Amino acid sequence: MRRPEIDLSACNGCGACIAVSPTVFSFNDLGFIQVADLEFYPEAEVDEAIALCPEDCISWTE
Ligand code: SF4
């Protein structure tokens, strides 16, 4: 199953991915973006987050 992955070393914490897909992306207690453990990821939403991410740090992994 494809799963979104975030390169935290590049993420600037802007929150754009959360605005687009709050079921997938959120801030953890340390203020870093985390990806929810879901059985299925909303592909269109994640693709939009990938397109909007200013640091190009979201990608799909197999
Ligand atoms: S959109 Fe990209 S840079 Fe912004 S918080 Fe999400 S992963 Fe980080």
Side-chain angles (χ1 to χ4, degrees):
M1 183 194 67
R2 294 209 304 166
R3 177 187 168 92
E5 185 181 68
I6 296 175
D7 176 0
L8 288 175
S9 68
C11 173
N12 68 12
C14 71
C17 53
I18 299 174
V20 168
S21 189
T23 56
V24 175
F25 303 103
S26 61
F27 285 115
N28 66 19
D29 291 344
L30 298 175
F32 294 111
I33 294 288
Q34 63 185 1
V35 175
D37 289 322
L38 301 177
E39 207 158 321
F40 297 103
Y41 291 92
E43 196 150 333
E45 275 185 21
V46 173
D47 283 343
E48 192 178 349
I50 289 172
L52 288 175
C53 175
E55 305 295 345
D56 283 335
C57 56
I58 309 171
S59 58
W60 286 106
T61 60
E62 297 297 327

Coordinates of all heavy atoms in Angstrom, one line a residue:
M1 N 0.8 -1.2 0.0 CA 0.0 0.0 0.0 C 0.9 1.3 0.0 O 1.9 1.3 0.7 CB -0.9 0.0 1.2 CG -1.8 1.2 1.3 SD -2.6 1.4 2.9 CE -1.2 1.8 3.9
R2 N 0.5 2.2 -0.8 CA 1.2 3.5 -0.8 C 0.9 4.3 0.5 O -0.2 4.3 0.9 CB 0.8 4.3 -2.0 CG 1.3 3.7 -3.3 CD 1.6 4.7 -4.4 NE 0.4 5.6 -4.6 CZ 0.5 6.7 -5.3 NH1 1.7 7.1 -5.8 NH2 -0.5 7.5 -5.5
R3 N 1.9 4.9 1.0 CA 1.8 5.7 2.2 C 2.6 7.0 2.0 O 3.7 7.0 1.5 CB 2.4 4.9 3.3 CG 2.3 5.6 4.7 CD 3.1 4.7 5.7 NE 3.3 5.6 6.9 CZ 2.5 5.6 7.9 NH1 1.4 4.9 8.0 NH2 2.7 6.5 9.0
P4 N 2.0 8.1 2.5 CA 2.7 9.4 2.4 C 3.9 9.4 3.4 O 3.7 8.9 4.5 CB 1.7 10.5 2.7 CG 0.4 9.8 2.9 CD 0.6 8.3 3.0
E5 N 5.0 10.0 3.0 CA 6.1 10.1 3.9 C 6.6 11.6 3.9 O 6.5 12.2 2.8 CB 7.2 9.2 3.3 CG 8.4 9.1 4.2 CD 9.5 8.2 3.6 OE1 10.0 8.5 2.5 OE2 9.7 7.1 4.1
I6 N 7.1 12.1 5.0 CA 7.6 13.4 5.1 C 9.1 13.4 5.4 O 9.5 12.8 6.3 CB 6.8 14.2 6.1 CG1 5.3 14.3 5.7 CG2 7.4 15.6 6.3 CD1 4.5 14.9 6.8
D7 N 9.8 14.2 4.7 CA 11.2 14.4 5.0 C 11.3 15.6 6.0 O 11.2 16.8 5.7 CB 12.0 14.8 3.7 CG 13.4 15.1 4.0 OD1 13.8 15.1 5.2 OD2 14.1 15.5 3.0
L8 N 11.4 15.2 7.3 CA 11.3 16.2 8.3 C 12.5 17.1 8.3 O 12.4 18.3 8.9 CB 11.1 15.5 9.7 CG 9.8 14.8 10.0 CD1 9.8 14.1 11.3 CD2 8.7 15.9 10.0
S9 N 13.6 16.7 7.7 CA 14.7 17.6 7.7 C 14.5 18.8 6.8 O 15.1 19.8 6.9 CB 16.0 16.9 7.3 OG 15.9 16.4 5.9
A10 N 13.5 18.7 5.9 CA 13.2 19.7 4.9 C 11.9 20.5 5.3 O 11.7 21.6 4.9 CB 13.0 19.2 3.5
C11 N 11.0 19.9 6.1 CA 9.7 20.5 6.5 C 10.0 21.8 7.3 O 10.7 21.8 8.2 CB 9.0 19.5 7.3 SG 7.4 20.1 8.0
N12 N 9.2 22.8 6.9 CA 9.3 24.1 7.6 C 8.1 24.3 8.6 O 8.0 25.4 9.1 CB 9.4 25.3 6.6 CG 8.2 25.5 5.8 OD1 7.1 25.0 6.2 ND2 8.2 26.3 4.8
G13 N 7.3 23.3 8.7 CA 6.2 23.4 9.6 C 5.1 24.4 9.3 O 4.3 24.9 10.1
C14 N 4.9 24.7 8.0 CA 4.0 25.7 7.5 C 2.5 25.3 7.8 O 1.6 26.1 7.9 CB 4.2 26.0 6.1 SG 3.7 24.7 4.9
G15 N 2.3 24.0 7.8 CA 0.9 23.5 8.1 C 0.0 23.4 6.8 O -1.1 23.0 7.0
A16 N 0.6 23.7 5.7 CA -0.3 23.6 4.4 C -0.8 22.2 4.2 O -2.0 22.0 3.8 CB 0.6 24.0 3.2
C17 N 0.0 21.2 4.5 CA -0.5 19.8 4.3 C -1.7 19.5 5.2 O -2.6 18.8 4.9 CB 0.6 18.8 4.5 SG 1.5 19.0 6.1
I18 N -1.7 20.0 6.5 CA -2.7 19.8 7.4 C -4.0 20.5 6.9 O -5.1 19.9 7.0 CB -2.4 20.3 8.8 CG1 -1.1 19.6 9.3 CG2 -3.5 20.2 9.8 CD1 -0.6 20.2 10.6
A19 N -3.9 21.7 6.4 CA -5.0 22.4 5.9 C -5.7 21.6 4.7 O -6.9 21.6 4.6 CB -4.6 23.8 5.4
V20 N -4.9 21.0 3.9 CA -5.4 20.2 2.7 C -6.0 18.9 3.2 O -7.0 18.4 2.7 CB -4.3 20.1 1.7 CG1 -4.7 19.1 0.6 CG2 -4.0 21.4 1.1
S21 N -5.3 18.2 4.1 CA -5.7 16.8 4.4 C -5.5 16.6 5.9 O -4.5 15.9 6.3 CB -4.8 15.9 3.6 OG -5.3 14.6 3.7
P22 N -6.4 17.1 6.7 CA -6.2 17.0 8.2 C -6.4 15.5 8.7 O -6.0 15.3 9.8 CB -7.3 17.9 8.7 CG -8.3 18.1 7.6 CD -7.5 17.9 6.3
T23 N -7.0 14.7 7.9 CA -7.1 13.3 8.3 C -5.8 12.6 8.2 O -5.6 11.6 8.9 CB -8.2 12.5 7.5 OG1 -7.8 12.6 6.1 CG2 -9.6 13.0 7.7
V24 N -4.9 13.1 7.4 CA -3.6 12.4 7.1 C -2.5 13.1 7.9 O -1.7 12.4 8.6 CB -3.3 12.4 5.6 CG1 -1.9 11.8 5.4 CG2 -4.3 11.6 4.8
F25 N -2.5 14.4 7.9 CA -1.3 15.1 8.4 C -1.8 15.9 9.7 O -2.9 16.4 9.8 CB -0.8 16.1 7.4 CG -0.4 15.5 6.1 CD1 -1.2 15.6 5.0 CD2 0.8 14.8 6.0 CE1 -0.8 15.0 3.8 CE2 1.2 14.2 4.8 CZ 0.4 14.3 3.7
S26 N -0.9 15.9 10.7 CA -1.1 16.6 11.9 C 0.2 17.0 12.6 O 1.3 16.4 12.2 CB -2.0 15.8 12.9 OG -1.3 14.6 13.2
F27 N 0.2 17.9 13.6 CA 1.4 18.1 14.3 C 1.4 17.1 15.5 O 0.4 16.9 16.2 CB 1.4 19.6 14.9 CG 1.7 20.6 13.9 CD1 0.7 21.6 13.5 CD2 2.9 20.7 13.3 CE1 1.0 22.6 12.6 CE2 3.2 21.7 12.3 CZ 2.2 22.6 12.0
N28 N 2.6 16.6 15.8 CA 2.7 15.8 17.0 C 3.0 16.6 18.2 O 3.2 17.9 18.1 CB 3.7 14.6 16.8 CG 5.1 15.1 16.6 OD1 5.5 16.2 17.0 ND2 6.0 14.3 16.1
D29 N 3.2 16.0 19.3 CA 3.4 16.8 20.6 C 4.7 17.6 20.5 O 4.9 18.6 21.3 CB 3.5 15.8 21.8 CG 2.2 15.2 22.1 OD1 1.2 15.7 21.6 OD2 2.2 14.2 22.8
L30 N 5.7 17.2 19.7 CA 6.9 18.0 19.6 C 6.9 19.1 18.5 O 7.8 19.8 18.3 CB 8.1 17.0 19.3 CG 8.3 15.9 20.3 CD1 9.4 14.9 19.9 CD2 8.8 16.6 21.6
G31 N 5.7 19.2 17.9 CA 5.5 20.2 16.8 C 6.0 19.8 15.5 O 6.1 20.7 14.6
F32 N 6.3 18.5 15.3 CA 6.6 18.0 13.9 C 5.4 17.4 13.3 O 4.5 16.9 13.9 CB 7.7 16.9 14.0 CG 9.0 17.4 14.6 CD1 9.5 17.0 15.8 CD2 9.8 18.3 13.8 CE1 10.7 17.5 16.3 CE2 11.0 18.8 14.3 CZ 11.5 18.4 15.5
I33 N 5.4 17.5 11.9 CA 4.3 16.9 11.2 C 4.4 15.4 11.3 O 5.5 14.8 11.2 CB 4.5 17.3 9.7 CG1 4.2 18.8 9.5 CG2 3.5 16.5 8.8 CD1 2.8 19.2 9.7
Q34 N 3.3 14.7 11.5 CA 3.2 13.3 11.4 C 2.1 12.8 10.5 O 1.2 13.5 10.2 CB 2.9 12.7 12.8 CG 1.6 13.2 13.4 CD 1.4 12.7 14.8 OE1 2.2 12.1 15.5 NE2 0.2 13.0 15.4
V35 N 2.3 11.6 10.0 CA 1.4 11.0 9.1 C 0.5 10.0 9.9 O 1.1 9.1 10.6 CB 2.1 10.3 7.9 CG1 1.1 9.5 7.1 CG2 2.9 11.3 7.1
A36 N -0.8 10.1 9.8 CA -1.7 9.1 10.5 C -1.5 7.7 10.0 O -1.2 7.6 8.8 CB -3.1 9.6 10.4
D37 N -1.7 6.7 10.8 CA -1.8 5.4 10.3 C -3.2 5.1 9.8 O -4.1 4.9 10.6 CB -1.4 4.4 11.5 CG 0.1 4.5 11.9 OD1 0.9 4.7 10.9 OD2 0.4 4.4 13.0
L38 N -3.3 5.0 8.6 CA -4.7 4.8 8.0 C -4.6 3.5 7.1 O -3.5 3.2 6.6 CB -5.1 6.0 7.1 CG -5.2 7.3 7.8 CD1 -5.5 8.4 6.8 CD2 -6.2 7.3 8.9
E39 N -5.7 2.9 6.9 CA -5.8 1.7 6.0 C -5.7 2.2 4.6 O -5.1 1.5 3.8 CB -7.1 1.0 6.3 CG -7.0 -0.5 6.0 CD -8.0 -1.3 6.7 OE1 -8.3 -1.0 7.9 OE2 -8.6 -2.2 6.1
F40 N -6.4 3.3 4.3 CA -6.3 3.9 2.9 C -6.1 5.4 3.1 O -6.7 6.0 3.9 CB -7.7 3.6 2.2 CG -7.9 2.1 2.0 CD1 -8.9 1.5 2.8 CD2 -7.2 1.4 1.0 CE1 -9.1 0.1 2.6 CE2 -7.5 0.0 0.9 CZ -8.4 -0.6 1.7
Y41 N -5.3 5.9 2.2 CA -5.0 7.3 2.2 C -5.8 8.0 1.1 O -5.8 7.4 -0.1 CB -3.5 7.5 2.1 CG -2.8 7.1 3.3 CD1 -2.2 5.8 3.4 CD2 -2.6 8.0 4.4 CE1 -1.6 5.4 4.6 CE2 -2.0 7.6 5.5 CZ -1.5 6.3 5.6 OH -0.9 5.9 6.8
P42 N -6.4 9.1 1.3 CA -7.1 9.8 0.3 C -6.1 10.4 -0.8 O -5.5 11.4 -0.5 CB -7.9 10.9 1.0 CG -7.1 11.1 2.3 CD -6.4 9.8 2.6
E43 N -6.1 9.7 -1.9 CA -5.0 10.0 -2.9 C -5.0 11.4 -3.4 O -4.0 12.0 -3.5 CB -5.1 9.0 -4.0 CG -3.9 8.9 -4.9 CD -3.7 7.5 -5.5 OE1 -4.2 6.6 -4.9 OE2 -3.1 7.5 -6.5
A44 N -6.2 11.9 -3.7 CA -6.3 13.2 -4.3 C -5.9 14.3 -3.3 O -5.2 15.2 -3.6 CB -7.7 13.5 -4.7
E45 N -6.3 14.1 -2.0 CA -5.9 15.1 -1.0 C -4.4 15.1 -0.8 O -3.7 16.1 -0.6 CB -6.5 14.7 0.4 CG -7.9 15.3 0.5 CD -8.5 15.0 1.9 OE1 -7.7 14.7 2.8 OE2 -9.7 15.0 2.1
V46 N -3.8 13.9 -0.7 CA -2.3 13.8 -0.5 C -1.6 14.3 -1.7 O -0.6 15.1 -1.5 CB -1.9 12.3 -0.2 CG1 -0.4 12.2 -0.2 CG2 -2.5 11.8 1.1
D47 N -2.1 14.1 -2.9 CA -1.5 14.6 -4.1 C -1.5 16.2 -4.1 O -0.6 16.8 -4.5 CB -2.1 14.1 -5.4 CG -1.7 12.7 -5.7 OD1 -0.7 12.2 -5.1 OD2 -2.4 12.0 -6.5
E48 N -2.6 16.7 -3.6 CA -2.7 18.2 -3.5 C -1.7 18.7 -2.4 O -1.1 19.7 -2.7 CB -4.2 18.6 -3.1 CG -4.4 20.1 -3.3 CD -5.8 20.4 -2.9 OE1 -6.7 19.5 -2.8 OE2 -6.1 21.7 -2.8
A49 N -1.6 18.0 -1.3 CA -0.6 18.4 -0.3 C 0.8 18.4 -0.9 O 1.6 19.3 -0.6 CB -0.7 17.5 0.9
I50 N 1.1 17.3 -1.6 CA 2.4 17.2 -2.3 C 2.6 18.4 -3.2 O 3.7 19.0 -3.2 CB 2.5 15.9 -3.1 CG1 2.6 14.7 -2.1 CG2 3.7 15.9 -4.0 CD1 2.5 13.3 -2.7
A51 N 1.6 18.8 -4.0 CA 1.7 19.9 -4.9 C 1.9 21.2 -4.2 O 2.6 22.1 -4.7 CB 0.5 19.9 -5.8
L52 N 1.2 21.4 -3.0 CA 1.3 22.7 -2.3 C 2.5 22.8 -1.4 O 2.8 23.9 -1.0 CB 0.0 22.8 -1.5 CG -1.3 23.1 -2.3 CD1 -2.5 23.2 -1.4 CD2 -1.2 24.4 -3.1
C53 N 3.1 21.7 -1.0 CA 4.1 21.8 0.0 C 5.3 22.6 -0.5 O 5.9 22.3 -1.6 CB 4.7 20.4 0.3 SG 6.1 20.4 1.4
P54 N 5.6 23.7 0.2 CA 6.6 24.7 -0.4 C 8.0 24.1 -0.3 O 8.9 24.6 -1.0 CB 6.5 25.9 0.6 CG 5.9 25.3 1.8 CD 5.0 24.2 1.4
E55 N 8.2 23.0 0.5 CA 9.6 22.4 0.6 C 9.7 21.1 -0.2 O 10.8 20.5 -0.2 CB 9.9 22.2 2.0 CG 9.8 23.4 2.9 CD 10.8 24.5 2.6 OE1 11.8 24.3 1.8 OE2 10.6 25.7 3.0
D56 N 8.7 20.7 -0.9 CA 8.7 19.5 -1.7 C 9.2 18.3 -0.8 O 9.9 17.5 -1.3 CB 9.6 19.6 -2.9 CG 8.9 20.4 -4.0 OD1 7.7 20.4 -4.1 OD2 9.7 20.9 -4.9
C57 N 8.7 18.2 0.4 CA 9.2 17.2 1.3 C 8.2 16.1 1.6 O 8.4 15.3 2.5 CB 9.7 17.8 2.6 SG 8.5 18.8 3.5
I58 N 7.0 16.1 0.8 CA 6.1 15.0 1.0 C 6.2 14.1 -0.2 O 6.2 14.6 -1.4 CB 4.6 15.5 1.1 CG1 4.5 16.6 2.2 CG2 3.7 14.3 1.4 CD1 3.1 17.2 2.2
S59 N 6.2 12.8 0.0 CA 6.3 11.9 -1.2 C 5.5 10.6 -0.8 O 5.2 10.4 0.4 CB 7.7 11.5 -1.5 OG 8.4 11.0 -0.4
W60 N 5.2 9.8 -1.8 CA 4.6 8.5 -1.6 C 5.7 7.5 -1.5 O 6.7 7.5 -2.2 CB 3.7 8.1 -2.8 CG 2.4 8.9 -2.9 CD1 2.1 9.8 -3.8 CD2 1.2 8.6 -2.2 NE1 0.8 10.2 -3.7 CE2 0.2 9.5 -2.7 CE3 0.9 7.8 -1.1 CZ2 -1.1 9.6 -2.2 CZ3 -0.4 7.8 -0.6 CH2 -1.4 8.7 -1.1
T61 N 5.5 6.5 -0.5 CA 6.4 5.4 -0.5 C 5.5 4.1 -0.7 O 4.3 4.1 -0.4 CB 7.0 5.2 0.9 OG1 6.0 5.1 1.9 CG2 7.9 6.4 1.2
E62 N 6.1 3.1 -1.2 CA 5.3 1.8 -1.5 C 5.4 1.0 -0.2 O 6.3 1.0 0.5 CB 6.0 1.1 -2.6 CG 5.9 1.8 -3.9 CD 4.5 2.1 -4.4 OE1 3.6 1.2 -4.1 OE2 4.3 3.1 -5.0
Ligands
SF4_1 S1 3.3 21.4 3.6 FE1 5.3 20.6 3.6 S2 6.6 22.1 4.6 FE2 4.5 22.6 5.1 S3 4.2 21.5 7.1 FE3 3.5 20.1 5.4 S4 5.3 18.8 5.0 FE4 6.0 20.6 6.1

